[in-house]
Structures are given as C-alpha cells and as structure tokens.
C-alpha cells in the first residue's frame, strides 16, 4: 500500500497499480515469484494514488505495471515520465482436458473481473482450440441472469464466482506472458544472470504445461484411432465425410454392401456412390440427421441412418447403411430363436377382459407393479389367468424387450427342477450334456422369470431360490463360480402360502422375498358381470354366436365356474361342436344340450343345482305368468295374477297365491315393490324357467 518512505528509492522501483485488491495481490505475488527481491516493489490502489496526489507526494518509479484499461488511463495521467507496462497474460492450462470433454455447443460461463478480463479469458481459451463450446463472459457488474447455466470456468479468482452453479472448473491464474516479463526486466536494468534465471523458470513452467497438452493431444488421437477401429468392427456399413465433402472413412462392411473396394469408394466421392437416390444426396449435402430411411444405393435397397460425430472438432458426417435383406434375415432368425425357446410374452393388459370393479382394481394395481422392478406374487384360483397377468406386467415394464421365461414347478419331477432353473456344467451328472446347459435364471437375464405353482417347490429348491434372490447370483450344478444375474421375479400360486408356512412346507423367509407386491386375481363367480365380455370374446374365436342368446347367457350366469375363465373356454369349445351345426340342432335343442352340460358339471363337481330347489308346477306356472308380464315392461299385482290364472283354467286361491309369492321371493326368484307396486321376475327366476324348458 501507499507509504511515504517509498519516495526516495533507486531506479529499480516498480509500481503496480490496480483499483482491484485481488488483482494487486496477484500481480505482486507473480512479480515476486519471478524476480525475487530484485525490483523495489510498490503497490498502490486507486485510493492510494489519489491520496498521494492530494498530498503532492507522487513517487517517480522506473516503471508502472497495470493490467486493466482503467488503471492504464490513471497511470498515463499521473506518471507521464515513466514507462507504463500493460500486462499481457497466458493461460495456466489447468483442467483444460475437462473443458475439452464437454459435448459440442455446451454453454459455459467464463468468470473474471472486470469486463475486459472476462472477455480476454474467453479469447485465450478460444485461441487454445476450444471452439466447439459456447463460452459466455461474465463479470460481477454485468447484471447477467445465470439461471439455467450449470458450469462455470474461472482463472483462479473464486471470489468473483457466484455460488449458483453445479460444476466449478478452475483453470488456474493466468501467467504473465514472456513479453511482459522481459519488458519489466529490460526496463529495470536487471543483470543478465538474473534474466537467464527468469528465462529458465518460465521455460520450465511452459514445458510442464506443454507436457500436459501433449498428453491431451495423445488422448484425442487415441480416441480417433479407437473410433476408426470401432467403425471397422461394425457389421453395418459406415462412410465418413468431412467438412470439405471428402469421403475419409469407409469400413469393410460398406465395401461389401456397395460392392466396391475401399480405394474406389473413397476416391469416387459420395455424389457418385449415392447418385441413384436424389433425396439421399440432398440429405448428405444439407448434413441432415435421418433415422431408418429407405434408400437405393448401387441398385440395392438399404436402410440409411445419418448423423454428425465431432471427432476432435472436425465436424465429420457419417452415413450408416444396412441392406434390407440383412435386416429381414436377422429378424427371421431372431423370431425363430425366440419362438423355439418360448421366451416371449404374448399378452398385454388390453387382452384382459372384464368390466367389474374387482377386475378394474386388479388391473390398476397390476399396472403399478409393471412400473417398478420389485418381485410380484400373483395368487388366485386355478384358471383365473395368473400367467396372463404375469405376461402383461412384463410387456408393460421396462424389461419388455428382454426375455420372459416361464417355469411351472408342477410340470417336472423334483430331480429335474434344479437343473432346469440353475443350469449345469458339462458332466455334472449322468445324462448331462457335455457342453453343459444354461439354467432359466441365466436365460431370463435382464428380463422376467415367471415361477408358476411356486407353492409346489420342495424345501431344498426353495433354499437355493432364496440364495439366488438374495445374492443376485446363480451357480450351475457342478460349477465352482457364481454367475451374476439381473432378473425380475413374478411368482404365482393357487395355494395359501401363509398356511403352507404354518404347516412347515414353505419357507417364511422366501415368502417375504417373493411377496413384495401381492396381486390377488378375483375368481369368476365373484364377478359374474365379466362373464359376458369374456364369453363374447371366446364366442368370436370359435364362431358360435348362438351361445350369446339370452337363454344361454342365463345358464352361464347361473353356473359357479370352479375352473374360472379356463373352464369357461372349455364350455364354449364343447358347445361350439354341438351348436355350429344349425341343421342338426335347432335353438330349443341347443338350449337343452346346454342345460344337460351344466347339470353334468354340477354333478361332477358336487355343485348345487343352480342354488335352487325344485318347485311345484303351480309355482312354475305362477313364475311364468310374472315373466310374461315382465316382457311388456310391467310389474303385476296379486289380483291381476289370479285373474290371468283363472282365465287359463288354473285354480289357485288368494291365500295360496300369497304363500307361493312369499316362497318365490325368499328363493330370490322374484322381487316385490312397495305396497301395490306388484312383483317382477329376477335373473335367477328366468334361469330356472330356462332350465326347466318353460321359456
């Protein structure tokens, strides 16, 4: 700072003038680092200069060192007889590799103070070849809105940088340039030996930074070599075009697909190679990016993808081409392989039929299950569609493009289950393949493994399953190494696993592992409103439209469906054989066949006969009269019923009629309105009349 004792110093006095305290300290430190105590340093701020001027105590240094334009103007005003040296700088090159690695057109804030220093720092970075980024100068008084910017670059002065960024990159304080250093040395008449020492110090620093830059260039050149190697390894044809429209890359696959050698392609120019397709020529000339465009190249149909890749800021443009025949052949092979292995899920949520609240709630939860990777346990009676839901969950998940592997514990004897699930090494047991075999866990890698009838797994298999689920590794039978796996597990059972745990036939710890997301599928008898949509869908498949008549639908509604949707399909299959021949089976006969079929099923499964007892003829006649009245959309009262029965010659007293109506109501065959509103037949009553062949 300003001191009066500094006035009478010798001719090696160097005044550093800056209105910024951090800049003053930085320049003083750099001069001391380079020159030691040879110069007689004096540091003044703007206020120091104004105070000295006011006291008429302006010193006369040999030279005045300034770095900012504002300070230079002050120096020219007060030190007209002194040499004024403007500081020139060079970057320290710290963390330049980090900056070079940013993608093209990334916006970076470059902070310095004041404005001319910020702008100068941007120019220095651009002079070093950083031209692929958008560098935006910022200084504290700029008033610039920094929201939306994540990364800041600054040359050592962190105090000028606002704390609003995610990434801070310090490129180091900017060094004094050679020109500035030797200008100071010359002006201060420093001895030759001292100038030599300064030169060696500065050169050593530059060599060190030059080595860092050399390493960076080597790394970029290595990246280019690796890029060319990757292009050559690709089975797709790849052709590279530089900014001068010269073809610079052509891999072997491109040569094979075009039918020319590499030298011919590179010397022909893209205008000749792609001459058959004018649209493709326009795309390349305009450097447009296209995806999966069908084009013609040298008489062959190809799929084209174009894109720009900036390898060392070259702005190169690439054309990727694949023969259509190659794509078709590959697709056929993949489909054949997947079909043979059976590792594809066919069903989606849209394939699940139903409109009941129960099925809607189940579907809603299943869709939530599809959005995560947690294990699912699907429970429900046999035939409710547990695997259908498992496949739908897989197809709606982020694993939908990966394998869906299904395994049923009830389908194989226990000795074979472990080899199927976990695989085995060659010669692990008698009859094993010499090459060994991958287990289903390996085959389901990155996909979904559906374990059906999990409740039938033995305790020994359960123990191995538990380990695989916990460690996410599987060991083949006869192997000594674990294989890492990434598999989503969906289990299904028609048993109560909680009861099995109490019985000791199922491991409690395994249940906790698989029952993360419990999904219960409701049975069909609890959602009979879903019978019609399911029945309609199956009827279309078997082209049996007679099954959708009101009389047949009543019979389907009345049945309890212990086998659920699977049994429903079986019933339609059977009735389609009977009912598709209209000549040999009229509608009345078809109804009788259907009644007989359900009667046989009830007897087979010991089910109640529609849930109703047989009733006398008079009750049936009375019920039929109520049904006939309902056809005209009206309820009928007791007096009207008696009158209609009398007209038909049926003798029935008022007391008998009242008692019979009470019985019919108790059995759910009719419903009764308020006083004097009459009665009407229920769906159960209609079903009974159909079964008895009355309507």
């Amino acid at each position: 700072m300003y001191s009066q004792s500094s006035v009478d110093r010798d001719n090696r006095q160097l005044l550093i003038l800056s209105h910024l305290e951090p800049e003053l300290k930085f320049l003083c430190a750099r001069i001391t680092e380079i020159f030691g105590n040879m110069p007689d340093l004096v540091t003044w701020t703007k206020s120091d200069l104004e105070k000295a001027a006011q006291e008429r105590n302006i010193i006369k240094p040999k030279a005045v060192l300034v770095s900012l334009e504002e300070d230079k103007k002050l120096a020219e005003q007060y030190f007209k007889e002194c040499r004024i040296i403007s500081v020139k700088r060079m970057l320290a090159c710290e963390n330049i590799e980090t900056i070079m690695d940013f993608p093209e057109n990334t916006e970076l804030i470059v902070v310095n103070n004041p404005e001319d220093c910020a702008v100068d720092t941007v120019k220095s970075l651009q002079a070093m070849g950083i031209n692929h980024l958008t560098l935006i100068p910022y200084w504290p008084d700029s008033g610039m809105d920094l929201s939306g910017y994540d990364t800041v670059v600054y040359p050592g002065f962190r105090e000028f940088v606002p704390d609003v960024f995610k990434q801070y990159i310090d490129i180091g304080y900017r060094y004094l340039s050679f020109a500035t250093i030797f200008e100071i040395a010359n002006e201060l008449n420093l001895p030759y030996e001292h100038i030599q020492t300064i030169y060696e110090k500065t050169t050593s620093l530059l060599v060190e930074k030059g080595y860092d830059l050399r390493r960076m260039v080597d790394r970029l050149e290595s990246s280019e070599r690796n890029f060319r190697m990757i292009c050559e390894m690709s089975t797709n044809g790849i052709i590279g075009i530089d900014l001068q429209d010269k073809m610079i890359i052509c891999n072997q696959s491109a040569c094979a697909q075009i039918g020319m050698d590499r030298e011919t392609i590179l010397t022909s120019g893209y205008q000749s190679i792609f001459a058959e397709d004018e649209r493709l020529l326009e795309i390349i000339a305009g450097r447009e990016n296209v995806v999966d465009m069908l084009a013609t190249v040298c008489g062959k149909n190809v799929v084209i993808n174009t894109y720009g890749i900036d390898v060392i800021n070259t702005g190169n443009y690439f054309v990727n081409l694949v023969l259509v025949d190659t794509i078709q052949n590959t697709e056929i092979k993949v489909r054949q392989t997947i079909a043979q292995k059976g590792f594809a899920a066919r069903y989606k949520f849209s394939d699940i039929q139903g409109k009941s609240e129960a099925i809607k709630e189940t579907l809603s939860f299943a869709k939530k299950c599809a959005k995560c990777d947690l294990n699912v346990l699907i429970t429900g009676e046999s035939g409710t569609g547990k695997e259908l839901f498992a496949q739908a969950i897989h197809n709606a998940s982020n694993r939908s493009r990966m394998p869906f592997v299904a395994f049923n514990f009830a389908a194989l004897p226990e000795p074979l289950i472990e080899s199927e699930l976990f695989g085995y090494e060659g010669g692990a047991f008698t009859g094993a393949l010499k090459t060994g075999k991958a287990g289903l866990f390996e085959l389901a890698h990155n996909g979904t493994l559906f374990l059906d009838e999990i409740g039938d797994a033995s305790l020994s298999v359960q123990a191995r399953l538990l380990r695989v689920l916990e460690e996410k590794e599987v060991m083949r039978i006869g192997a000594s190494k674990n294989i890492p796996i990434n598999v989503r597990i969906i289990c299904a059972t028609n048993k109560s696993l909680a009861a099995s745990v109490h019985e000791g036939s199922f491991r409690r710890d395994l249940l906790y592992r698989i029952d993360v997301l419990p999904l219960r599928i409701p049975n069909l008898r609890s959602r009979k409103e879903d019978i019609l949509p399911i029945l309609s869908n199956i009827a279309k498949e078997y082209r049996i439209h007679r099954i959708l008549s009101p009389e047949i639908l009543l019979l389907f509604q009345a049945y309890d469906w212990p086998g659920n949707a699977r049994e429903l399909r079986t019933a339609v299959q059977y009735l389609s054989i009977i009912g598709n021949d209209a000549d040999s089976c009229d509608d009345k006969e078809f109804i009788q066949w259907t009644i007989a079929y359900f009667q046989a099923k009830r007897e087979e499964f010991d089910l109640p006969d529609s849930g109703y007892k047989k009733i006398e003829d008079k009750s049936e006649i009375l019920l039929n009269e109520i049904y006939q009245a309902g056809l005209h959309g009206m309820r009928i009262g007791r007096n009207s019923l008696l009158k209609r029965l009398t007209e038909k010659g049926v003798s029935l007293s008022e007391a008998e009629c009242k008692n019979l109506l009470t019985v019919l109501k108790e059995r759910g065959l009719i419903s009764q309105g308020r006083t004097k509103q009459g009665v009407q037949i229920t769906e159960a009553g209609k079903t009974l009349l159909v079964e008895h062949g009355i309507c």
Side-chain angles (χ1 to χ4, degrees):
M1 296 300 158
Y2 166 76
S3 64
Q4 190 169 352
S5 61
S6 63
V7 176
D8 301 323
R9 299 293 175 91
D10 60 24
N11 63 353
R12 286 183 180 166
Q13 191 176 62
L14 177 66
L15 172 64
I16 303 175
L17 178 64
S18 177
H19 68 284
L20 296 175
E21 282 282 355
E23 178 73 1
L24 201 63
K25 291 178 181 178
F26 168 74
L27 290 175
C28 185
R30 294 289 80 78
I31 295 296
T32 302
E33 179 185 6
I34 296 170
F35 293 97
N37 59 1
M38 289 297 292
D40 184 7
L41 284 183
V42 180
T43 58
W44 273 8
T45 63
K46 181 181 179 181
S47 59
D48 291 330
L49 176 60
E50 290 172 345
K51 181 179 179 182
Q54 193 175 30
E55 297 176 358
R56 298 185 178 182
N57 200 14
I58 298 290
I59 62 175
K60 294 182 179 180
K62 184 70 174 178
V64 179
L65 186 67
V66 296
S67 63
L68 306 174
E69 190 64 30
E70 180 180 341
D71 299 325
K72 184 180 178 181
K73 291 178 180 178
L74 279 174
E76 290 173 343
Q77 178 182 349
Y78 289 99
F79 302 98
K80 295 179 180 179
E81 298 179 1
C82 298
R83 178 67 179 272
I84 298 172
I85 302 174
S86 293
V87 172
K88 296 179 179 60
R89 304 170 188 265
M90 54 187 179
L91 289 178
C93 302
E94 295 177 14
N95 298 314
I96 294 298
E97 283 189 64
T98 304
I99 299 174
M100 293 290 288
D101 284 339
F102 278 98
E104 186 177 5
N105 297 323
T106 301
E107 293 184 338
L108 303 182
I109 297 295
V110 180
V111 174
N112 209 337
N113 191 44
E115 178 183 0
D116 51 347
C117 285
V119 173
D120 190 49
T121 305
V122 169
K123 290 179 179 178
S124 297
L125 288 168
Q126 291 170 339
M128 293 187 66
I130 303 176
N131 298 307
H132 66 296
L133 306 176
T134 302
L135 302 177
I136 304 169
Y138 172 87
W139 58 99
D141 294 332
S142 65
M144 180 180 172
D145 182 11
L146 297 175
S147 58
Y149 298 102
D150 295 332
T151 306
V152 63
V153 176
Y154 61 96
F157 294 113
R158 178 63 189 267
E159 57 265 36
F160 297 144
V161 183
D163 292 326
V164 296
F165 299 97
K166 295 180 181 178
Q167 185 176 5
Y168 296 80
I169 301 175
D170 184 2
I171 56 176
Y173 294 105
R174 294 190 297 161
Y175 292 98
L176 301 183
S177 70
F178 268 129
T180 302
I181 292 170
F182 284 103
E183 190 175 356
I184 294 171
N186 183 62
E187 191 64 29
L188 297 181
N189 299 313
L190 296 180
Y192 169 79
E193 296 80 7
H194 198 77
I195 294 176
Q196 179 68 21
T197 303
I198 294 169
Y199 173 78
E200 290 172 354
K201 280 184 181 180
T202 311
T203 303
S204 173
L205 177 64
L206 290 179
V207 168
E208 179 184 340
K209 294 304 175 182
Y211 175 70
D212 291 340
L213 290 174
R214 179 67 255 175
R215 281 193 307 167
M216 183 174 66
V217 171
D218 288 344
R219 187 171 68 86
L220 292 172
E221 289 176 349
S222 175
S223 297
E224 185 177 14
R225 287 193 299 271
N226 291 337
F227 177 76
R228 289 179 178 273
M229 187 185 303
I230 292 169
C231 287
E232 201 58 45
M233 292 170 61
S234 174
T235 56
N236 291 1
I238 298 175
I239 291 176
I241 304 168
D242 66 13
L243 285 171
Q244 287 71 44
D245 288 339
K246 180 183 176 183
M247 298 173 70
I248 56 172
I249 293 176
C250 175
N251 69 349
Q252 191 57 44
S253 295
C255 296
Q257 293 181 37
I258 293 172
M260 299 180 186
D261 60 71
R262 194 190 310 267
E263 185 177 354
T264 302
I265 293 174
L266 292 176
T267 56
S268 297
Y270 78 83
Q271 295 87 347
S272 174
I273 299 298
F274 302 124
E276 294 177 58
D277 199 306
E278 292 184 4
R279 175 58 185 145
L280 181 56
L281 287 175
E282 291 175 2
I283 288 170
I284 297 174
R287 302 221 157 203
E288 300 176 32
N289 290 346
V290 297
V291 178
D292 294 341
M293 170 187 166
L294 190 63
T296 302
V297 177
C298 296
K300 300 173 182 177
N301 292 327
V302 296
V303 173
I304 295 288
N305 289 275
T306 61
Y307 43 88
I309 296 181
D310 208 8
V311 182
I312 317 182
N313 302 327
T314 56
N316 291 339
Y317 182 75
F318 292 85
V319 179
N320 183 305
L321 59 154
V322 187
L323 291 175
V324 171
D325 290 345
T326 301
I327 296 174
Q328 291 174 338
N329 291 336
T330 302
E331 184 180 4
I332 291 170
K333 289 178 182 177
V334 170
R335 286 183 178 276
Q336 288 174 342
T337 302
I338 292 176
Q340 287 171 1
K341 292 183 176 180
F343 296 159
R346 292 184 298 155
Y347 298 107
K348 301 178 181 179
F349 284 121
S350 58
D351 295 316
I352 298 174
Q353 303 293 319
K355 59 182 181 179
S356 65
E357 285 302 315
I359 202 66
K360 285 180 181 177
E361 291 176 5
T362 305
L363 277 169
S364 175
F365 183 68
K367 289 174 182 177
K368 292 178 181 177
C369 294
K371 293 179 180 179
C372 67
D373 255 346
L374 300 175
N375 295 338
V376 181
L377 177 61
I378 304 176
T379 56
E381 295 178 4
S382 178
T384 50
K386 295 185 286 295
E387 183 167 356
L388 183 67
F389 272 86
Q391 292 191 22
I393 290 172
H394 171 80
N395 277 330
S397 73
N398 57 6
R399 296 176 181 260
S400 59
R401 294 178 180 236
M402 296 296 119
F404 176 87
V405 181
F407 178 77
N408 192 315
F409 281 95
L412 285 177
E414 184 180 345
L416 297 179
I417 288 177
E418 289 196 21
S419 63
E420 280 295 308
L421 280 176
F422 310 114
Y424 57 83
E425 292 292 294
F429 51 85
T430 303
L433 295 174
K434 292 182 180 180
T435 55
K437 181 182 176 183
L440 297 183
F441 273 98
E442 290 178 62
L443 296 175
H445 183 59
N446 288 329
T448 302
L449 180 59
F450 174 58
L451 300 176
D452 201 6
E453 304 298 342
I454 185 71
D456 291 342
S458 66
L459 288 172
S460 62
V461 171
Q462 291 177 35
R464 289 203 64 174
L465 272 176
L466 179 63
R467 179 167 180 79
V468 171
L469 296 182
E470 287 179 340
E471 303 298 330
K472 299 189 184 302
E473 294 178 331
V474 64
M475 182 184 289
R476 293 184 181 183
I477 297 172
S480 57
K481 295 181 179 179
N482 287 323
I483 301 172
I485 56 166
N486 174 21
V487 178
R488 202 247 180 111
I489 302 296
I490 300 179
C491 297
T493 183
N494 57 11
K495 295 182 177 181
S496 169
L497 294 186
S500 298
V501 168
H502 289 300
E503 294 168 2
S505 59
F506 201 86
R507 294 179 63 109
R508 185 184 297 273
D509 46 5
L510 178 59
L511 178 59
Y512 293 153
R513 278 288 180 183
I514 63 175
D515 194 18
V516 181
L517 298 174
L519 181 64
R520 173 74 182 176
I521 312 299
N523 56 47
L524 196 54
R525 63 183 171 275
S526 66
R527 51 185 182 101
K528 289 197 171 182
E529 59 266 51
D530 290 339
I531 290 176
L532 178 57
I534 297 173
L535 185 61
S536 299
N537 191 51
I538 301 173
K540 289 178 185 176
E541 183 179 342
Y542 291 97
R543 299 179 182 178
I544 175 72
H545 302 294
R546 298 167 72 182
I547 211 166
L548 299 176
S549 68
E551 294 83 359
I552 301 297
L553 286 176
L554 286 173
L555 294 172
F556 272 80
Q557 292 281 357
Y559 187 62
D560 276 342
W561 302 107
N564 295 288
R566 184 181 294 128
E567 187 184 7
L568 181 62
R569 174 175 288 274
T570 304
V572 175
Q573 290 171 336
Y574 168 79
L575 293 172
S576 68
I577 302 299
I578 305 298
N580 271 332
D581 189 356
D583 294 332
S584 61
C585 181
D586 60 23
D587 289 345
K588 191 170 183 179
E589 288 176 317
F590 183 62
I591 292 173
Q592 293 304 318
W593 271 103
T594 307
I595 292 171
Y597 173 82
F598 283 113
Q599 279 297 114
K601 286 293 180 182
R602 289 190 181 95
E603 292 172 7
E604 180 181 348
F605 295 111
D606 196 23
L607 298 174
D609 186 14
S610 299
Y612 316 120
K613 297 178 181 179
K614 295 284 185 180
I615 59 177
E616 290 84 16
D617 290 342
K618 285 185 178 181
S619 296
E620 291 179 352
I621 294 171
L622 184 62
L623 189 60
N624 187 42
E625 286 300 320
I626 297 172
Y627 169 70
Q628 295 297 328
L631 292 176
H632 302 288
M634 55 182 284
R635 292 175 177 267
I636 188 168
R638 190 166 63 243
N639 293 333
S640 298
L641 274 173
L642 287 171
K643 182 178 179 182
R644 293 179 67 157
L645 291 173
T646 302
E647 290 174 354
K648 293 183 178 181
V650 178
S651 176
L652 195 67
S653 68
E654 186 174 347
E656 282 182 296
C657 182
K658 185 176 180 179
N659 290 335
L660 284 173
L661 288 174
T662 301
V663 171
L664 292 174
K665 181 183 176 184
E666 289 175 352
R667 293 175 181 174
L669 302 177
I670 63 171
S671 64
Q672 192 166 13
R674 297 177 182 176
T675 305
K676 295 184 180 181
Q677 285 187 349
V679 296
Q680 65 180 10
I681 194 167
T682 63
E683 292 297 325
K686 294 177 185 177
T687 300
L688 185 66
L689 293 178
V690 170
E691 288 182 341
H692 290 186
I694 297 174
C695 68

